[in-house]
Amino acid sequence: MKGKMKVQNFYEPFEMKYEEHDIPEIADNEVLIKVMATSICGSDVSYYYGHSPLGTPSGKGPLYLGHEISGVVAEVGTIPAAAGLFAEGDRVAVNPVQQCNACESCMRGEFNVCEHSEVIGVSCNGGFAEYVKVKYTHVYKIPDEISFEQGALSEPLACATYGIKRLDIQLGQDVVIFGPGPIGLMMVQLAKASGAGRVLLFGRRDYPLETGKKVGADFIINTADKNSPYYNPDPVAATIEKFGKLAPRCIVPTSNMEALQNALKVTGAASTVVYFGLPGETDKLEIPMLEAINMDRTIKCAWLAPGVWDNVFHAIASGQVDLDPIITHRFTLEECEDGIKFMKESKENKIKGVVLIGLEK
């Protein structure tokens, strides 16, 4: 497909330019997608502010960021076309982590730890552009019941789904979640859909906590703001107050080290803790080992989203997960850089920002 497109081209920290480039030409095994919406991930913010390097050889751009993508198929490569997998006009979402499918990890189905993955918006051009090319094996049709905005959030929802899957919730079990960000709010709903009895959500700001209450949290606790009606600085005391005991399940979708440490304190015997948020490279978790062994603890980590994408689309389409309350701000492609800054710097109430590219703002 020949032509020009508008893009937001990231060069290095604090340098992003709104430019016109050629529409990418696809290979035989790729699909060209007209982007409708791309949501802003915390990693996009980290790249822009120089907190993390890109996945390029230099760790810098030029590169189009954005990996949480939905859109419409504009062109189909010969391989997926011959298989009848896609047609122009199909509504799709993107799995940005394109594993090699040839290494030992991939052979075991451990696609999330493939060392040869190419990641849309991280190591190759992403969705802060009018068009993006993706390997057909990582393009998924979305049901008509799912909007493009919701489709753009299917990637973080997939990661949240894998985290909850790792938590192994048994019917009726109480669950503690630290962090009412976009992922935490998704996990509240996923925990309930997975059979959790009661969900206790910890955070530091009332607005996202109250959103958590709206989407299904039974209890919300603000551990930081003394003026909050939900204030309690002691997560252990709060857990016992709400549940009558320590929790059997806890998941931590935040990088806050205090929260990661507290997960071990709010959980009891035979409990499972899943760590999801990304702390710093030098951060260390202290685990009282004798206590962990005597309590028969299970400690897990969750990374990316292997084997859960089909569940994700069903969860959205069925209404088990409502993504609309999580989307608080919308930006045009031209406003994308300002949107990234807003999500980092603004003191306004906010949860998730989406860049509308093929949609009206």
Side-chain angles (χ1 to χ4, degrees):
M1 181 176 176
K2 301 292 185 180
K4 297 288 185 178
M5 67 175 183
K6 296 293 186 181
V7 308
Q8 282 285 357
N9 202 9
F10 173 73
Y11 287 89
E12 58 185 19
F14 303 101
E15 185 179 355
M16 180 180 278
K17 295 181 180 179
Y18 186 56
E19 300 173 340
E20 185 174 80
H21 288 194
D22 291 333
I23 295 173
E25 295 185 14
I26 61 172
D28 291 343
N29 67 334
E30 292 177 327
V31 171
L32 182 68
I33 298 169
K34 177 178 172 57
V35 180
M36 302 304 285
T38 302
S39 55
I40 299 172
C41 178
S43 63
D44 296 316
V45 176
S46 292
Y47 300 139
Y48 181 82
Y49 282 85
H51 298 155
S52 301
L54 292 176
T56 60
S58 68
K60 298 181 179 180
L63 187 96
Y64 319 151
L65 299 177
H67 58 272
E68 301 176 358
I69 305 166
S70 70
V72 175
V73 172
E75 186 179 6
V76 184
T78 57
I79 294 174
L85 292 172
F86 297 101
E88 292 182 18
D90 284 344
R91 303 169 72 253
V92 295
V94 172
N95 177 356
V97 183
Q98 303 180 116
Q99 72 272 3
C100 73
N101 288 321
C103 67
E104 290 186 5
S105 294
C106 286
M107 284 191 286
R108 293 191 295 266
E110 298 165 352
F111 306 120
N112 54 331
V113 292
C114 171
E115 295 182 359
H116 312 287
S117 292
E118 187 177 52
V119 185
I120 301 294
V122 179
S123 60
C124 60
N125 283 330
F128 291 149
E130 291 183 314
Y131 290 88
V132 64
K133 64 176 184 177
V134 183
K135 293 176 182 177
Y136 79 93
T137 50
H138 291 72
V139 178
Y140 306 139
K141 294 179 185 178
I142 59 177
D144 292 338
E145 297 91 336
I146 296 178
S147 70
F148 286 114
E149 289 187 4
Q150 294 168 336
L153 268 65
S154 60
E155 191 275 340
L157 181 58
C159 294
T161 300
Y162 181 64
I164 291 295
K165 181 180 179 181
R166 296 276 287 163
L167 194 57
D168 190 28
I169 298 168
Q170 302 301 305
L171 187 63
Q173 281 185 324
D174 294 327
V175 175
V176 168
I177 299 175
F178 281 95
I183 296 290
L185 297 177
M186 294 173 185
M187 287 180 172
V188 167
Q189 301 177 72
L190 291 166
K192 284 289 193 175
S194 300
R198 296 169 294 181
V199 172
L200 169 56
L201 178 63
F202 285 103
R204 301 171 65 85
R205 294 186 300 119
D206 281 355
Y207 176 74
L209 282 168
E210 289 171 345
T211 303
K213 186 77 170 177
K214 292 177 183 177
V215 299
D218 297 277
F219 310 110
I220 54 177
I221 298 292
N222 188 321
T223 59
D225 184 359
K226 294 181 179 179
N227 297 316
S228 168
Y230 317 110
Y231 177 65
N232 188 332
D234 187 338
V236 175
T239 300
I240 294 173
E241 177 192 350
K242 299 302 183 184
F243 292 161
K245 58 182 179 179
L246 296 175
R249 295 290 185 270
C250 178
I251 191 163
V252 192
T254 175
S255 60
N256 181 280
M257 280 306 301
E258 186 177 3
L260 271 71
Q261 199 68 56
N262 280 332
L264 297 173
K265 299 177 181 178
V266 302
T267 46
S271 59
T272 297
V273 175
V274 173
Y275 291 109
F276 182 98
L278 296 179
E281 291 184 3
T282 60
D283 287 332
K284 305 291 184 183
L285 184 71
E286 294 184 3
I287 302 175
M289 285 309 302
L290 181 59
E291 176 189 82
I293 293 169
N294 287 338
M295 293 178 69
D296 197 16
R297 283 190 183 280
T298 299
I299 298 172
K300 302 180 183 179
C301 300
W303 175 239
L304 301 178
V308 298
W309 279 84
D310 190 43
N311 307 75
V312 164
F313 297 128
H314 289 307
I316 303 172
S318 68
Q320 288 177 294
V321 175
D322 185 2
L323 297 174
D324 292 339
I326 296 171
I327 302 170
T328 56
H329 290 82
R330 295 164 176 83
F331 310 93
T332 65
L333 182 58
E334 191 170 1
E335 297 168 337
C336 179
E337 183 175 12
D338 291 335
I340 290 173
K341 292 178 180 178
F342 176 89
M343 297 308 296
K344 170 69 172 178
E345 300 174 15
S346 172
K347 302 301 182 184
E348 289 186 30
N349 289 329
K350 61 184 185 295
I351 297 174
K352 186 75 169 177
V354 176
V355 179
L356 305 180
I357 300 172
L359 301 171
E360 294 292 328
K361 182 179 174 182

